[in-house]
Amino acid sequence: MAYNNPDGVMIGLEIHVQLNRLKTKMFCGCSTQYHNSQPNTHVCPVCMGLPGALPVINEGAVEASMKVGLALNCEVTDRTQFHRKNYYYPDLPKGYQVSQYDYPIVSNGKVVIEGEDGELVVRIRRAHMEEDPGKMVHMGTIDKSRGTLIDYNRSGMALLEIVTEPDLRSPKEARRFLDKLRNILEYLDVFDSNLEGSMRVDANISIGGGSRTEVKNISSHKGAERALIYEIMRQKNLLRRGGVVTMETRHFDEARGVTTSMRTKEEEHDYRYFPEPDLVPLKVKDRTSRLLDTLPELPDARRDRFVSQYGVPEMHAKALTSDIKVADFYEMVAEKVDPKVAATWVADVLKGELNYRDLTVKSFNVEDMVKIIQMVIDDRITDRSGVEVIRTMLDSGGIPMDIVQQKGLMKAEDSVVSSAVDEAIKENAAAVEDYMQGKEQSMNFLVGQVMKKTRGRADPQTVREMIISRIK
Amino acid sequence: MPEWINISGIREKITDTSAEEVTLSHIDKIRNSRTYGFSAINEKAVEQAKEIDSRKTDSPLAGVPIAIKDNISTLGIPTTCSSKILEGYVPPYNAHVIERLVDAGAVILGKTKMDEFAMGSSTETCCEGPALNPWDTERVAGGSSGGSAAAVASGEAPVALGSDTGGSVRSPASFCGIVALKPTYGTVSRYGLIAYANSLEQIGPMGTCVKDVATVMDVIAGHDPRDSTSIKKDMNYSKSIEKDINGMKIGIPEEYLSDGINPEVQKCVWDAIHKMEDLGATWKSVSLPHTKYALSSYYIIAMSEASSNLARFDGTRYGLRAEGENWHVMASRTRAEGFGDEVKRRILLGTYALSAGYHDKYYLKALKVRTLVKGDFDRALSETDVLMGPTMPDIAFKLGEKIKDPLSLYLTDVNTVPVNLAGVPSISVPCGFADKMPVGLQIIGRHFDEESILRAAYSFEQNTDHHKKRPEGVR
Ligand SMILES: [Zn+2]
């Protein structure tokens, strides 16, 4: 059924992605691996903005940005250029941010997501490169702070700001878009979403064709959904009471789950953009075909391949490919055991258990998964026991066989043999009849069938007695 | 008594005595200066000279003392741009040119005064008071590299580095009777040069003779990957001066000899042109029709870039810090106390020119004019080899004469700023005296054709005596 968007919600997103898989920062040689370091140890004259220091463009950042653009079906510009965005803030060491203005590196792309009513095309307006500011740390709470410290380790990290058209119609769609974007970025290996501050979102929201507000300071996908739900509710309530939504910038208070006014349109900054005279314009278009060749298989393509190659249902293929690490994990498991069974176990069971515990697939290893699935296939443990093994491993560790033994999850030998006997009798009525007629060889045949079903684990004499007792 | 001594003279002296002796004698001259060109002496200068003595190197600048304009970052030596706001700032790194000089064995004598952040044409906006003109200490040394020019002309340093955004090495060279080169944009790395107007400025050598300027260029020029506007090009400047100027075609821009130019200065320049003719060159009149718009364009571009460049001086990380109950108050007070009037004026005007609603009217228009000015030079230099005219419209003016009237001060840059807008190279050489004060001849060349202007300047110098005259009290 078509989604009719009852409130006329229009959402556009601006996503700041830190290209944290690069080795060095945007304009200097400082390492990007500062996350576990002392403050101000990954800095140099350039990213500290010391007088006289000059920026040099990190070619790796340019190509990573182009790859992202290509993966988002964007056009690559012929000529790209950096501008200065001027504003004062303590974490901005030069008093301006080197960013891009009217010559962004890529523009006019699109991403298809699962919308409220099937596929939704979200248009990408542009994506441009810029540098990250430093980070402020308040000593004590923000209102009773004894002072503020600044850590410039983050200063100069390469950022890509991706701007969508206002094509999203609900907070859920916004969250799905962000999930999909994160997934694509991780497939491209330009981005690690687990690092602090790696993706920051600003959202524009309007309802019923009214003025839009911009909500800043959203730092997670869950946060984006919550901020949008709150902001839509706020705007609706305002309109219901006869008020008007005014164009303004609002701040999302993650702890309280509310948005508060930061500044109105009249108070907006004038950034006084002008071309960065310390950098020269770049010609990049001729790199496009080479970069296209190096693009890895992206989530949608991989999903289609899983359906055709492994014969798994579309739903499973989607779930498996929505995180590159899960998809890689699945393919390794599928090499060893029936891919369809593996898909159920990885997509339905393992992923669910991991999500529940806020863990990633890194917490589980492929060999263990293979062993568990193999035991289920061999009918040595039940499905339910398989799940229990996984849960136990995630909660308290251990290896599958030990857990099975300690918890006595192995299907009892007797009952295995017993059901194999029942099956053999049911499946070989003719042989049973022959035995009743006095053909001894028929008994040997029936025992052999049970041995086959139990893979030789049963005692032939016992089996023989069990058969005789059951057919009399 | 201080003396004018060139690099080869210094090297002979070092052979006779030592680099240490030479450095000590220069430091002594600086301590007894009558022109106050220096703002700081390098405490390690003698140590560096001793080290050169022990190394026995024969590199072209081995043991040669050099003065450095205070906007060029020097590791361990305060670098303040003659501004209170950088009080106490000691760079943790050397500018590219300093690395090159040190590698070539030069001894960094100290830092020289300048107009605050290179904003001025007289060195009167220096926070510690002006450098004086050695020919007449009641007159300005020119600017903004006035300290470097005064130091060289007073015999306190044989060579110096300045920087030229709109005439800042050529103006003081002209006023103090020495030689200075503004290289083609992109020739000398700006890494470590504290920016005033990035798209216009270049570091340039200053000395008592053309040959010394070329020798220093050989050391400081060349590609530096840390400056994205630096060009890959190999040049041998000292070698290029050897050829004569027979057959050289000189263009005389009519706009550079307009009515506003002191007639005595005009006379010196005409004499120089005739001297060139005697040496085998030919000349013709050319026109640079957009010259009258160049000054406005230059000031808008320079001030716009400056308004952004100087934003980093907020008291947070280095230099002066005022007290304030929060960051914004602290930063505002720091800037109010730390910057002088001229710097504030230019930041305000530059901010205005870039603001929404005015950006197109001022900044963009200035860029368009810049393109037209560039076109003027391309045209004029397609039919001539070099252009010549007076560096400054007049001789050095009296201290305090123009500082209260910014516009009259800006007007003194009329012949020098078009060169920076176009990015072409230009040299100023002494070409005579007016009212007992030196007059400078400006020779402008095509992009990356320093060779022609150095050659013309050298031939002229070798066939005239102007550069042999000394200020009173200097031997
Ligand atoms: Zn750095």
mmCIF file of all heavy atoms in Angstrom, chain A residues 49-53 55-56 84 86 88 90 93-94 96 152 270 272-274 278, chain B residues 92-93 190 192-193 198 225-226 228 308-309 311-312 317-318 335 351 355-356 359:
data_model
loop_
_atom_site.group_PDB
_atom_site.id
_atom_site.type_symbol
_atom_site.label_atom_id
_atom_site.label_comp_id
_atom_site.label_asym_id
_atom_site.label_seq_id
_atom_site.Cartn_x
_atom_site.Cartn_y
_atom_site.Cartn_z
ATOM 1 N N GLY A 49 47.350 24.930 13.328
ATOM 2 C CA GLY A 49 47.149 26.265 12.779
ATOM 3 C C GLY A 49 48.207 27.249 13.222
ATOM 4 O O GLY A 49 47.933 28.432 13.398
ATOM 5 N N LEU A 50 49.444 26.790 13.400
ATOM 6 C CA LEU A 50 50.503 27.724 13.800
ATOM 7 C C LEU A 50 50.744 28.723 12.670
ATOM 8 O O LEU A 50 50.581 28.404 11.497
ATOM 9 C CB LEU A 50 51.801 26.969 14.111
ATOM 10 C CG LEU A 50 51.805 26.101 15.363
ATOM 11 C CD1 LEU A 50 53.226 25.637 15.674
ATOM 12 C CD2 LEU A 50 51.249 26.852 16.565
ATOM 13 N N PRO A 51 51.142 29.949 13.032
ATOM 14 C CA PRO A 51 51.401 30.954 12.008
ATOM 15 C C PRO A 51 52.419 30.434 10.994
ATOM 16 O O PRO A 51 53.429 29.856 11.384
ATOM 17 C CB PRO A 51 51.988 32.126 12.803
ATOM 18 C CG PRO A 51 51.564 31.913 14.219
ATOM 19 C CD PRO A 51 51.405 30.444 14.397
ATOM 20 N N GLY A 52 52.133 30.640 9.713
ATOM 21 C CA GLY A 52 53.087 30.270 8.670
ATOM 22 C C GLY A 52 52.939 28.867 8.132
ATOM 23 O O GLY A 52 53.484 28.557 7.076
ATOM 24 N N ALA A 53 52.215 27.999 8.827
ATOM 25 C CA ALA A 53 52.076 26.623 8.335
ATOM 26 C C ALA A 53 51.083 26.592 7.174
ATOM 27 O O ALA A 53 50.153 27.379 7.134
ATOM 28 C CB ALA A 53 51.606 25.712 9.457
ATOM 29 N N PRO A 55 48.661 24.155 4.315
ATOM 30 C CA PRO A 55 48.038 22.848 4.087
ATOM 31 C C PRO A 55 48.513 22.212 2.776
ATOM 32 O O PRO A 55 48.852 22.910 1.832
ATOM 33 C CB PRO A 55 46.554 23.213 3.973
ATOM 34 C CG PRO A 55 46.570 24.595 3.376
ATOM 35 C CD PRO A 55 47.799 25.272 3.913
ATOM 36 N N VAL A 56 48.544 20.882 2.758
ATOM 37 C CA VAL A 56 48.801 20.146 1.509
ATOM 38 C C VAL A 56 47.712 19.067 1.419
ATOM 39 O O VAL A 56 47.468 18.342 2.380
ATOM 40 C CB VAL A 56 50.192 19.478 1.531
ATOM 41 C CG1 VAL A 56 50.409 18.634 0.276
ATOM 42 C CG2 VAL A 56 51.296 20.531 1.638
ATOM 43 N N ARG A 84 37.607 28.787 2.176
ATOM 44 C CA ARG A 84 37.684 28.990 3.615
ATOM 45 C C ARG A 84 36.297 29.359 4.140
ATOM 46 O O ARG A 84 35.643 30.234 3.590
ATOM 47 C CB ARG A 84 38.657 30.127 3.954
ATOM 48 C CG ARG A 84 40.090 29.748 3.756
ATOM 49 C CD ARG A 84 40.983 30.849 4.303
ATOM 50 N NE ARG A 84 42.378 30.584 4.022
ATOM 51 C CZ ARG A 84 43.351 31.426 4.366
ATOM 52 N NH1 ARG A 84 43.050 32.567 4.981
ATOM 53 N NH2 ARG A 84 44.607 31.129 4.088
ATOM 54 N N ASN A 86 34.802 30.961 7.303
ATOM 55 C CA ASN A 86 35.334 31.755 8.419
ATOM 56 C C ASN A 86 34.369 31.834 9.590
ATOM 57 O O ASN A 86 33.225 32.271 9.430
ATOM 58 C CB ASN A 86 35.629 33.179 7.931
ATOM 59 C CG ASN A 86 36.730 33.209 6.886
ATOM 60 O OD1 ASN A 86 37.902 33.029 7.194
ATOM 61 N ND2 ASN A 86 36.364 33.417 5.624
ATOM 62 N N TYR A 88 34.643 32.009 14.289
ATOM 63 C CA TYR A 88 35.498 31.882 15.480
ATOM 64 C C TYR A 88 34.973 30.804 16.407
ATOM 65 O O TYR A 88 33.791 30.786 16.733
ATOM 66 C CB TYR A 88 35.520 33.207 16.258
ATOM 67 C CG TYR A 88 36.337 34.278 15.595
ATOM 68 C CD1 TYR A 88 35.753 35.229 14.775
ATOM 69 C CD2 TYR A 88 37.714 34.327 15.793
ATOM 70 C CE1 TYR A 88 36.511 36.212 14.162
ATOM 71 C CE2 TYR A 88 38.485 35.311 15.186
ATOM 72 C CZ TYR A 88 37.875 36.241 14.382
ATOM 73 O OH TYR A 88 38.627 37.215 13.783
ATOM 74 N N PRO A 90 36.799 28.125 19.744
ATOM 75 C CA PRO A 90 38.077 27.713 20.342
ATOM 76 C C PRO A 90 38.658 26.432 19.748
ATOM 77 O O PRO A 90 39.879 26.268 19.731
ATOM 78 C CB PRO A 90 37.743 27.500 21.825
ATOM 79 C CG PRO A 90 36.355 27.938 22.036
ATOM 80 C CD PRO A 90 35.741 28.321 20.744
ATOM 81 N N PRO A 93 41.456 25.963 15.112
ATOM 82 C CA PRO A 93 42.728 26.648 15.397
ATOM 83 C C PRO A 93 43.074 27.786 14.439
ATOM 84 O O PRO A 93 43.821 28.672 14.819
ATOM 85 C CB PRO A 93 43.765 25.522 15.308
ATOM 86 C CG PRO A 93 43.102 24.396 14.609
ATOM 87 C CD PRO A 93 41.634 24.533 14.840
ATOM 88 N N LYS A 94 42.540 27.807 13.236
ATOM 89 C CA LYS A 94 42.907 28.881 12.318
ATOM 90 C C LYS A 94 41.867 29.997 12.274
ATOM 91 O O LYS A 94 42.078 31.006 11.620
ATOM 92 C CB LYS A 94 43.093 28.313 10.899
ATOM 93 C CG LYS A 94 44.226 27.278 10.808
ATOM 94 C CD LYS A 94 44.521 26.859 9.373
ATOM 95 C CE LYS A 94 43.411 26.075 8.737
ATOM 96 N NZ LYS A 94 43.188 24.740 9.310
ATOM 97 N N TYR A 96 39.223 29.617 10.756
ATOM 98 C CA TYR A 96 38.454 29.247 9.560
ATOM 99 C C TYR A 96 38.638 27.759 9.344
ATOM 100 O O TYR A 96 39.615 27.167 9.812
ATOM 101 C CB TYR A 96 38.881 30.040 8.315
ATOM 102 C CG TYR A 96 40.337 29.893 7.924
ATOM 103 C CD1 TYR A 96 40.774 28.808 7.158
ATOM 104 C CD2 TYR A 96 41.281 30.833 8.319
ATOM 105 C CE1 TYR A 96 42.116 28.679 6.791
ATOM 106 C CE2 TYR A 96 42.617 30.710 7.970
ATOM 107 C CZ TYR A 96 43.021 29.633 7.207
ATOM 108 O OH TYR A 96 44.341 29.495 6.861
ATOM 109 N N TYR A 152 43.531 18.907 20.223
ATOM 110 C CA TYR A 152 43.590 19.104 18.773
ATOM 111 C C TYR A 152 43.957 17.823 18.013
ATOM 112 O O TYR A 152 44.249 17.883 16.824
ATOM 113 C CB TYR A 152 44.552 20.239 18.415
ATOM 114 C CG TYR A 152 44.056 21.597 18.865
ATOM 115 C CD1 TYR A 152 44.524 22.185 20.028
ATOM 116 C CD2 TYR A 152 43.097 22.277 18.130
ATOM 117 C CE1 TYR A 152 44.058 23.417 20.457
ATOM 118 C CE2 TYR A 152 42.616 23.510 18.541
ATOM 119 C CZ TYR A 152 43.106 24.076 19.711
ATOM 120 O OH TYR A 152 42.635 25.299 20.117
ATOM 121 N N ASP A 270 27.552 34.512 8.943
ATOM 122 C CA ASP A 270 27.972 34.814 7.580
ATOM 123 C C ASP A 270 29.392 34.270 7.493
ATOM 124 O O ASP A 270 30.316 34.809 8.091
ATOM 125 C CB ASP A 270 27.949 36.329 7.362
ATOM 126 C CG ASP A 270 28.484 36.712 5.990
ATOM 127 O OD1 ASP A 270 28.880 35.803 5.221
ATOM 128 O OD2 ASP A 270 28.504 37.915 5.684
ATOM 129 N N ARG A 272 31.479 34.084 5.090
ATOM 130 C CA ARG A 272 32.428 34.800 4.234
ATOM 131 C C ARG A 272 33.349 33.847 3.460
ATOM 132 O O ARG A 272 34.566 33.965 3.493
ATOM 133 C CB ARG A 272 33.261 35.796 5.064
ATOM 134 C CG ARG A 272 32.415 36.719 5.915
ATOM 135 C CD ARG A 272 33.196 37.864 6.520
ATOM 136 N NE ARG A 272 34.422 37.464 7.189
ATOM 137 C CZ ARG A 272 34.477 37.006 8.435
ATOM 138 N NH1 ARG A 272 33.369 36.883 9.149
ATOM 139 N NH2 ARG A 272 35.622 36.676 8.972
ATOM 140 N N TYR A 273 32.722 32.903 2.781
ATOM 141 C CA TYR A 273 33.510 31.947 1.985
ATOM 142 C C TYR A 273 34.362 32.665 0.943
ATOM 143 O O TYR A 273 33.893 33.605 0.301
ATOM 144 C CB TYR A 273 32.568 31.008 1.223
ATOM 145 C CG TYR A 273 31.983 29.890 2.044
ATOM 146 C CD1 TYR A 273 30.708 29.991 2.582
ATOM 147 C CD2 TYR A 273 32.698 28.714 2.245
ATOM 148 C CE1 TYR A 273 30.156 28.951 3.312
ATOM 149 C CE2 TYR A 273 32.154 27.666 2.977
ATOM 150 C CZ TYR A 273 30.890 27.794 3.506
ATOM 151 O OH TYR A 273 30.345 26.763 4.220
ATOM 152 N N PHE A 274 35.590 32.252 0.779
ATOM 153 C CA PHE A 274 36.382 32.685 -0.380
ATOM 154 C C PHE A 274 37.416 31.600 -0.671
ATOM 155 O O PHE A 274 37.722 30.790 0.206
ATOM 156 C CB PHE A 274 37.020 34.075 -0.166
ATOM 157 C CG PHE A 274 38.189 34.096 0.785
ATOM 158 C CD1 PHE A 274 39.498 34.174 0.297
ATOM 159 C CD2 PHE A 274 37.995 34.040 2.165
ATOM 160 C CE1 PHE A 274 40.583 34.197 1.168
ATOM 161 C CE2 PHE A 274 39.082 34.062 3.032
ATOM 162 C CZ PHE A 274 40.373 34.140 2.537
ATOM 163 N N ASP A 278 45.903 29.163 -0.261
ATOM 164 C CA ASP A 278 47.065 28.301 -0.029
ATOM 165 C C ASP A 278 46.966 26.971 -0.772
ATOM 166 O O ASP A 278 47.888 26.159 -0.700
ATOM 167 C CB ASP A 278 47.241 28.044 1.474
ATOM 168 C CG ASP A 278 47.741 29.289 2.204
ATOM 169 O OD1 ASP A 278 48.437 30.101 1.561
ATOM 170 O OD2 ASP A 278 47.433 29.459 3.393
ATOM 171 N N PRO B 92 58.056 26.584 16.892
ATOM 172 C CA PRO B 92 58.698 25.284 17.091
ATOM 173 C C PRO B 92 59.231 24.710 15.784
ATOM 174 O O PRO B 92 59.557 23.532 15.723
ATOM 175 C CB PRO B 92 57.559 24.432 17.653
ATOM 176 C CG PRO B 92 56.327 25.010 17.049
ATOM 177 C CD PRO B 92 56.597 26.476 16.814
ATOM 178 N N TYR B 93 59.260 25.517 14.740
ATOM 179 C CA TYR B 93 59.750 25.002 13.457
ATOM 180 C C TYR B 93 60.347 26.140 12.637
ATOM 181 O O TYR B 93 60.057 27.308 12.879
ATOM 182 C CB TYR B 93 58.615 24.319 12.689
ATOM 183 C CG TYR B 93 57.622 25.265 12.045
ATOM 184 C CD1 TYR B 93 57.643 25.480 10.665
ATOM 185 C CD2 TYR B 93 56.686 25.952 12.809
ATOM 186 C CE1 TYR B 93 56.738 26.345 10.063
ATOM 187 C CE2 TYR B 93 55.782 26.821 12.220
ATOM 188 C CZ TYR B 93 55.815 27.005 10.841
ATOM 189 O OH TYR B 93 54.931 27.872 10.254
ATOM 190 N N ARG B 190 56.515 29.541 0.625
ATOM 191 C CA ARG B 190 55.980 30.392 1.693
ATOM 192 C C ARG B 190 55.841 29.611 2.995
ATOM 193 O O ARG B 190 55.311 30.151 3.980
ATOM 194 C CB ARG B 190 54.617 30.958 1.271
ATOM 195 C CG ARG B 190 54.687 31.962 0.136
ATOM 196 C CD ARG B 190 53.314 32.552 -0.163
ATOM 197 N NE ARG B 190 52.405 31.562 -0.716
ATOM 198 C CZ ARG B 190 51.318 31.096 -0.091
ATOM 199 N NH1 ARG B 190 50.992 31.550 1.098
ATOM 200 N NH2 ARG B 190 50.556 30.189 -0.666
ATOM 201 N N GLY B 192 56.119 28.674 6.406
ATOM 202 C CA GLY B 192 56.739 29.342 7.549
ATOM 203 C C GLY B 192 56.675 30.859 7.471
ATOM 204 O O GLY B 192 57.010 31.539 8.437
ATOM 205 N N LEU B 193 56.238 31.390 6.342
ATOM 206 C CA LEU B 193 56.026 32.844 6.236
ATOM 207 C C LEU B 193 54.641 33.144 6.807
ATOM 208 O O LEU B 193 53.644 32.603 6.322
ATOM 209 C CB LEU B 193 56.092 33.286 4.768
ATOM 210 C CG LEU B 193 55.653 34.735 4.487
ATOM 211 C CD1 LEU B 193 56.644 35.730 5.089
ATOM 212 C CD2 LEU B 193 55.498 34.986 2.994
ATOM 213 N N ASN B 198 48.128 35.747 1.198
ATOM 214 C CA ASN B 198 48.755 34.555 0.628
ATOM 215 C C ASN B 198 48.901 34.560 -0.892
ATOM 216 O O ASN B 198 49.879 34.062 -1.417
ATOM 217 C CB ASN B 198 47.941 33.308 0.978
ATOM 218 C CG ASN B 198 47.243 33.427 2.307
ATOM 219 O OD1 ASN B 198 46.599 34.437 2.573
ATOM 220 N ND2 ASN B 198 47.382 32.421 3.131
ATOM 221 N N PRO B 225 57.425 20.758 -1.370
ATOM 222 C CA PRO B 225 56.114 20.080 -1.362
ATOM 223 C C PRO B 225 55.178 20.558 -0.259
ATOM 224 O O PRO B 225 53.988 20.292 -0.309
ATOM 225 C CB PRO B 225 56.476 18.601 -1.166
ATOM 226 C CG PRO B 225 57.872 18.585 -0.651
ATOM 227 C CD PRO B 225 58.534 19.836 -1.166
ATOM 228 N N ARG B 226 55.699 21.284 0.730
ATOM 229 C CA ARG B 226 54.827 21.759 1.814
ATOM 230 C C ARG B 226 54.063 23.020 1.433
ATOM 231 O O ARG B 226 53.171 23.454 2.162
ATOM 232 C CB ARG B 226 55.661 22.032 3.070
ATOM 233 C CG ARG B 226 56.251 20.767 3.669
ATOM 234 C CD ARG B 226 57.251 21.107 4.752
ATOM 235 N NE ARG B 226 58.365 21.874 4.210
ATOM 236 C CZ ARG B 226 59.432 22.227 4.912
ATOM 237 N NH1 ARG B 226 59.511 21.902 6.183
ATOM 238 N NH2 ARG B 226 60.415 22.907 4.352
ATOM 239 N N SER B 228 51.724 24.277 -1.508
ATOM 240 C CA SER B 228 51.022 23.802 -2.710
ATOM 241 C C SER B 228 51.116 24.781 -3.865
ATOM 242 O O SER B 228 50.840 24.420 -5.010
ATOM 243 C CB SER B 228 49.548 23.542 -2.397
ATOM 244 O OG SER B 228 49.436 22.680 -1.295
ATOM 245 N N SER B 308 40.947 36.888 7.154
ATOM 246 C CA SER B 308 40.848 35.462 7.465
ATOM 247 C C SER B 308 42.157 34.943 8.073
ATOM 248 O O SER B 308 42.155 34.229 9.078
ATOM 249 C CB SER B 308 40.516 34.713 6.166
ATOM 250 O OG SER B 308 40.597 33.330 6.339
ATOM 251 N N ASN B 309 43.286 35.346 7.494
ATOM 252 C CA ASN B 309 44.586 34.886 8.000
ATOM 253 C C ASN B 309 44.805 35.242 9.463
ATOM 254 O O ASN B 309 45.424 34.493 10.211
ATOM 255 C CB ASN B 309 45.727 35.513 7.193
ATOM 256 C CG ASN B 309 45.808 34.964 5.787
ATOM 257 O OD1 ASN B 309 45.476 33.802 5.549
ATOM 258 N ND2 ASN B 309 46.239 35.783 4.843
ATOM 259 N N ALA B 311 42.633 35.603 11.777
ATOM 260 C CA ALA B 311 41.603 35.122 12.713
ATOM 261 C C ALA B 311 42.195 34.194 13.770
ATOM 262 O O ALA B 311 41.658 34.053 14.854
ATOM 263 C CB ALA B 311 40.500 34.400 11.945
ATOM 264 N N ARG B 312 43.318 33.547 13.429
ATOM 265 C CA ARG B 312 43.873 32.547 14.354
ATOM 266 C C ARG B 312 44.486 33.172 15.608
ATOM 267 O O ARG B 312 44.757 32.472 16.564
ATOM 268 C CB ARG B 312 44.903 31.691 13.630
ATOM 269 C CG ARG B 312 46.183 32.413 13.288
ATOM 270 C CD ARG B 312 47.088 31.556 12.416
ATOM 271 N NE ARG B 312 46.489 31.343 11.095
ATOM 272 C CZ ARG B 312 46.902 30.428 10.237
ATOM 273 N NH1 ARG B 312 47.873 29.617 10.560
ATOM 274 N NH2 ARG B 312 46.339 30.301 9.049
ATOM 275 N N ARG B 317 46.117 29.661 21.878
ATOM 276 C CA ARG B 317 47.231 28.719 21.794
ATOM 277 C C ARG B 317 48.615 29.337 21.985
ATOM 278 O O ARG B 317 49.537 28.664 22.423
ATOM 279 C CB ARG B 317 47.192 27.988 20.440
ATOM 280 C CG ARG B 317 46.046 27.027 20.284
ATOM 281 C CD ARG B 317 45.773 26.729 18.818
ATOM 282 N NE ARG B 317 45.402 27.963 18.138
ATOM 283 C CZ ARG B 317 44.165 28.440 18.102
ATOM 284 N NH1 ARG B 317 43.185 27.785 18.650
ATOM 285 N NH2 ARG B 317 43.894 29.594 17.505
ATOM 286 N N TYR B 318 48.807 30.589 21.615
ATOM 287 C CA TYR B 318 50.148 31.194 21.684
ATOM 288 C C TYR B 318 49.998 32.702 21.675
ATOM 289 O O TYR B 318 48.933 33.228 21.364
ATOM 290 C CB TYR B 318 51.018 30.752 20.496
ATOM 291 C CG TYR B 318 50.283 30.779 19.188
ATOM 292 C CD1 TYR B 318 50.046 31.970 18.519
ATOM 293 C CD2 TYR B 318 49.776 29.606 18.635
ATOM 294 C CE1 TYR B 318 49.340 32.002 17.344
ATOM 295 C CE2 TYR B 318 49.059 29.623 17.442
ATOM 296 C CZ TYR B 318 48.843 30.828 16.808
ATOM 297 O OH TYR B 318 48.127 30.861 15.642
ATOM 298 N N ARG B 335 42.450 40.463 20.973
ATOM 299 C CA ARG B 335 42.595 41.086 19.659
ATOM 300 C C ARG B 335 42.554 42.609 19.757
ATOM 301 O O ARG B 335 43.274 43.306 19.035
ATOM 302 C CB ARG B 335 41.532 40.545 18.698
ATOM 303 C CG ARG B 335 41.763 39.058 18.382
ATOM 304 C CD ARG B 335 40.598 38.406 17.675
ATOM 305 N NE ARG B 335 40.385 38.882 16.309
ATOM 306 C CZ ARG B 335 41.101 38.505 15.261
ATOM 307 N NH1 ARG B 335 42.099 37.653 15.408
ATOM 308 N NH2 ARG B 335 40.835 38.987 14.058
ATOM 309 N N THR B 351 36.894 42.070 6.205
ATOM 310 C CA THR B 351 35.694 41.356 6.646
ATOM 311 C C THR B 351 34.479 41.894 5.898
ATOM 312 O O THR B 351 33.632 41.141 5.421
ATOM 313 C CB THR B 351 35.517 41.532 8.168
ATOM 314 O OG1 THR B 351 36.702 41.063 8.813
ATOM 315 C CG2 THR B 351 34.323 40.742 8.680
ATOM 316 N N SER B 355 31.777 40.057 3.104
ATOM 317 C CA SER B 355 30.483 39.777 3.721
ATOM 318 C C SER B 355 29.379 39.587 2.690
ATOM 319 O O SER B 355 29.436 40.139 1.588
ATOM 320 C CB SER B 355 30.091 40.932 4.648
ATOM 321 O OG SER B 355 30.995 40.999 5.717
ATOM 322 N N ALA B 356 28.374 38.814 3.110
ATOM 323 C CA ALA B 356 27.222 38.573 2.240
ATOM 324 C C ALA B 356 26.640 39.910 1.813
ATOM 325 O O ALA B 356 26.483 40.817 2.622
ATOM 326 C CB ALA B 356 26.181 37.753 2.988
ATOM 327 N N HIS B 359 30.251 40.868 -1.035
ATOM 328 C CA HIS B 359 31.240 39.964 -1.592
ATOM 329 C C HIS B 359 31.418 40.159 -3.113
ATOM 330 O O HIS B 359 32.525 40.343 -3.607
ATOM 331 C CB HIS B 359 30.792 38.530 -1.260
ATOM 332 C CG HIS B 359 31.718 37.464 -1.713
ATOM 333 N ND1 HIS B 359 31.693 36.959 -2.994
ATOM 334 C CD2 HIS B 359 32.696 36.785 -1.061
ATOM 335 C CE1 HIS B 359 32.622 36.024 -3.104
ATOM 336 N NE2 HIS B 359 33.243 35.904 -1.955
#
